[in-house]
Amino acid sequence: ASVSGDTGVIHVVEKEEDLEWALSKGPHPPYMVLLDGNLFSREILMQLKGNSRISGLAVAAASPAPSQGFSPGLKCPNDGFGLYSERYGPRWAHCGGAVWNPGGSGVAYEDFPFPIFLLQDANETRLIKEVPSGNFGAFSSGIWGGNGKNPLCALQLQARMHAAASTASCMRRGSLQSAFSLSPEIVCDPLMDYNVWSSLHPINSSGKVDPGQRLILAATRVDSHSFFWNVAPGAEGSVGSFVALLAAAQALHAAPGSDRLPRNVLFAFFQGETFDYIGSSRMVFDMEQEKFPLRLENVGAFLELGQVSLRNDSVLWMHTDPVSRQNQSVESQVQTLLAALRSGGSGSGVSLREPGFSQPLPPSSFQRFLRSRQIPGVVLSDHRTAFQNRYFQSIYDTAENIGIRYPEGSTPEEQLEFVTDTAKALAEVGSLLARALFSLAGGAGGTDSIRADPATVTRLLYGFLINSNNSWFQSLIKPDQSGILGEGAP
C-alpha cells in the first residue's frame, strides 16, 4: 500500500462473474473493488491478491451473516505455540488427530499488497454503489464507467502499514526513531494489555504464598480477533466463557462457608491468547521468575472454560491431556477433577462428557502451563472435536451467533434486564463450575444451593455484546471514568 493512499476506479462485485471486469477486461485499471461480504472468501481474495490491476478492496459486511460460515483464522489455531510438539505428544503436534477449526481459511495470516476496508454501514455501501448526483446515471450492471462515456468514479483508501521484517527489527527501528527524531513515525504497535486476576481469599500481592500451599486456578481468555482491525466481537470465542467465569466467581463468593474453605481459588482472565497465548505465557513466565505471588508449584489444579455458548443438546465436553495422564499421580488427580465437575453438573441441566477416545487438548491457556509443569487440569468446551462456532475469529461472532434474542420493540433498558435463554444456559455453566470449585477447595456438604445469577449474566452479555454504555455499567464505574463506555459493543 502506498504512503499517500491507494486509489482506483470503483467496481462493484455482487456475484462472482463481476470479478472478470476488474481482473482482466476493464479498460481503466487499477480497480478498487467493492465486494459483497458473502463473496469474501479465500478463493476470491487469492485471485485478487496476485493481480496488479487491483488497488484495494472495500468489503460490505454481509447481513445476515454468511450461512456457510466464515472464519479467517487458521484450521489449527495457535499452531506451534501450544503444548504438542516433536518432543511432547508428537502424534498430536500441528493438530494431528483433531483439526479444531475446519472452516478456517487462514486469510487473516496472508500478506495482501493492497488495503482492505470493512464497510459496516449499509448506507455507506449504498452511497458508493449509487452515485447521489443524477449526472452519473444509474449503473445497473455494477460496472462504473464501463461504457467509456460516463465519468469514472474513484475511491481512495489510506491504510499504510510500516512494519519491518521481524518483531525484533521493527521494535529496534521504533526505538531508534524515538531517540533521534523530533516527530517519530510509529513503525509497529506492540500488543500490550493486562491479564486480570483475583482470588477467593486475599493474596498479599507483595508477599509470597507458602510453597507447600495448593490452590485451584480457574481461567479463561478475554480477547478475540478478526480479519478487520477493531471489529472482533468474540461472542462465542471469548465473551460467553468469561461471563460464565465471572458468574461462577460471584456464586462461589456468595456460597455459605466460602470464606473458610481450606484451599484458595484464583480466577484468571488471560489477554492476548489469540496471538500465540501472550497472556498465559506471561503469567507462567512471571511465576517461574518469582515475579508473581504464586509459583507454578502452588497450582494444584487447573479448570478452564473454552468456548461454551453453543452447547449441543446441553452437553459440555471435558478435555484433558492424554500425555500427562500417563503419570499415575496426575491421572488420579484428573479423575478427582472430573468427578467434581460431574457432581457440580448434576441437577443443572448440563450433561458433562469426556471425548471417549485419546485426543489432545483443544487450543487453550492450560497448554502453556503444562509446557512448564505437569498440572492436573480440565478444559470445558461445547465441542468434542471440531469447533461448533462457524464464525471463529470473525466479525460475525456476534450476539446473534450465540442465540441472544430480545422481544420485538423492547427498549434498551428492557433488553438490559431481559433474561435470555443464552443467559440462562451460561448461568448453568457458571453454577456447575462454582460447585466444582467449592468441593475442590475442600468445601463440605451439598452444593445445590450454589447458583450463578442469570440476571447478572444477561446484563454482562448485553454490556459486552450489545451496548457497553448502559445504566448498569455506568453504575459500576466511577462517574469520572464513564467516558470509557462507548456506544455499541466494545
Side-chain angles (χ1 to χ4, degrees):
S2 84
V3 178
S4 56
D6 295 79
T7 308
V9 174
I10 298 173
H11 177 64
V12 180
V13 174
E14 293 180 314
K15 51 188 188 296
E16 215 166 323
E17 304 86 81
D18 297 338
L19 271 176
E20 199 181 344
W21 182 266
L23 292 172
S24 59
K25 280 186 175 177
H28 303 291
Y31 286 98
M32 192 65 74
V33 173
L34 176 58
L35 186 70
D36 183 287
N38 288 294
L39 295 175
F40 190 73
S41 66
R42 182 179 182 88
E43 182 191 5
I44 285 177
L45 280 172
M46 297 318 272
Q47 282 184 59
L48 297 170
K49 174 177 174 170
N51 195 307
S52 60
R53 293 166 55 92
I54 306 300
S55 60
L57 189 58
V59 182
S63 182
S67 57
Q68 72 274 20
F70 174 69
S71 173
L74 299 170
K75 292 185 188 299
C76 187
N78 285 10
D79 186 23
F81 295 92
L83 178 63
Y84 303 103
S85 67
E86 280 60 44
R87 296 185 306 279
Y88 188 102
R91 62 185 275 207
W92 292 302
H94 313 301
C95 286
V99 176
W100 298 106
N101 186 33
S105 66
V107 292
Y109 296 82
E110 291 286 344
D111 180 22
F112 291 94
F114 46 71
I116 303 177
F117 276 53
L118 175 68
L119 303 178
Q120 285 182 284
D121 186 343
N123 288 333
E124 199 173 37
T125 309
R126 186 178 55 78
L127 284 172
I128 296 173
K129 283 183 181 178
E130 303 167 16
V131 181
S133 160
N135 299 334
F136 285 79
F139 295 92
S140 56
S141 65
I143 300 165
W144 291 87
N147 56 16
K149 296 174 185 173
N150 295 304
L152 297 170
C153 228
L155 185 67
Q156 184 180 52
L157 300 178
Q158 250 177 319
R160 175 69 176 168
M161 295 182 186
H162 301 272
S166 68
T167 300
S169 56
C170 200
M171 298 295 281
R172 188 169 58 247
R173 186 184 296 179
S175 59
L176 285 170
Q177 284 259 5
S178 302
F180 298 109
S181 172
L182 291 174
S183 54
E185 186 180 37
I186 297 172
V187 286
C188 51
D189 281 335
L191 280 165
M192 296 191 297
D193 220 307
Y194 293 92
N195 291 327
V196 179
W197 63 271
S198 187
S199 56
L200 182 64
H201 304 153
I203 292 177
N204 183 349
S205 60
S206 60
K208 289 280 181 257
V209 173
D210 177 352
Q213 193 177 328
R214 295 286 177 274
L215 53 70
I216 301 101
L217 203 158
T220 192
R221 64 169 55 185
V222 293
D223 64 301
S224 186
H225 179 219
S226 88
F227 186 91
F228 297 99
W229 180 80
N230 233 15
V231 190
E236 159 76 343
S238 59
V239 177
S241 49
F242 80 65
V243 163
L245 187 57
L246 284 167
Q250 185 188 40
L252 182 62
H253 182 262
S258 66
D259 56 338
R260 299 185 301 279
L261 289 171
R263 283 187 286 284
N264 204 352
V265 178
L266 186 82
F267 294 94
F269 298 82
F270 295 119
Q271 180 66 266
E273 294 301 271
T274 301
F275 297 100
D276 312 331
Y277 305 117
I278 293 174
S280 53
S281 301
R282 180 60 195 236
M283 185 177 278
V284 170
F285 176 80
D286 285 348
M287 285 179 170
E288 289 176 331
Q289 301 295 313
E290 299 196 6
K291 292 181 177 178
F292 195 81
L294 312 172
R295 296 187 180 98
L296 278 171
E297 303 88 86
N298 295 124
V299 182
F302 198 112
L303 291 180
E304 179 174 352
L305 288 185
Q307 299 182 78
V308 293
S309 306
L310 293 171
R311 300 205 313 279
N312 245 356
D313 305 320
S314 295
V315 173
L316 278 186
W317 296 93
M318 301 184 290
H319 298 272
T320 55
D321 170 44
V323 181
S324 58
R325 285 183 71 174
Q326 290 168 12
N327 175 312
Q328 213 42 53
S329 167
V330 172
E331 169 63 16
S332 66
Q333 292 174 77
V334 167
Q335 290 296 347
T336 302
L337 291 180
L338 296 171
L341 286 164
R342 284 196 190 95
S343 173
S346 68
S348 71
V350 181
S351 126
L352 289 149
R353 294 186 202 162
E354 284 190 80
F357 49 83
S358 193
Q359 67 171 48
L361 285 165
S364 50
S365 307
F366 181 40
Q367 291 199 27
R368 292 300 292 192
F369 283 77
L370 274 176
R371 273 176 65 154
S372 294
R373 185 178 177 83
Q374 287 204 333
I375 299 168
V378 178
V379 177
L380 291 173
S381 78
D382 55 25
H383 53 86
R384 183 184 191 181
T385 48
F387 294 165
Q388 285 198 68
N389 183 6
R390 293 176 302 128
Y391 304 110
F392 182 68
Q393 292 184 351
S394 95
I395 58 172
Y396 303 114
D397 188 8
T398 59
E400 291 76 29
N401 185 37
I402 59 172
I404 292 177
R405 306 276 184 275
Y406 296 106
E408 194 79 30
S410 52
T411 65
E413 201 60 33
E414 287 167 343
Q415 290 182 359
L416 173 68
E417 299 297 338
F418 180 77
V419 179
T420 61
D421 289 342
T422 305
K424 290 173 190 168
L426 284 169
E428 286 180 350
V429 177
S431 297
L432 81 85
L433 186 60
R435 291 170 187 172
L437 291 168
F438 185 83
S439 62
L440 291 167
T447 58
D448 291 354
S449 65
I450 301 175
R451 291 191 179 279
D453 179 20
T456 301
V457 172
T458 212
R459 289 185 195 132
L460 285 166
L461 290 171
Y462 180 87
F464 285 114
L465 291 173
I466 309 293
N467 189 3
S468 60
N469 193 10
N470 61 72
S471 59
W472 190 57
F473 274 20
Q474 287 163 5
S475 73
L476 295 174
I477 63 172
K478 294 173 183 173
D480 61 334
Q481 293 179 337
S482 60
I484 65 170
L485 298 175
E487 293 298 326

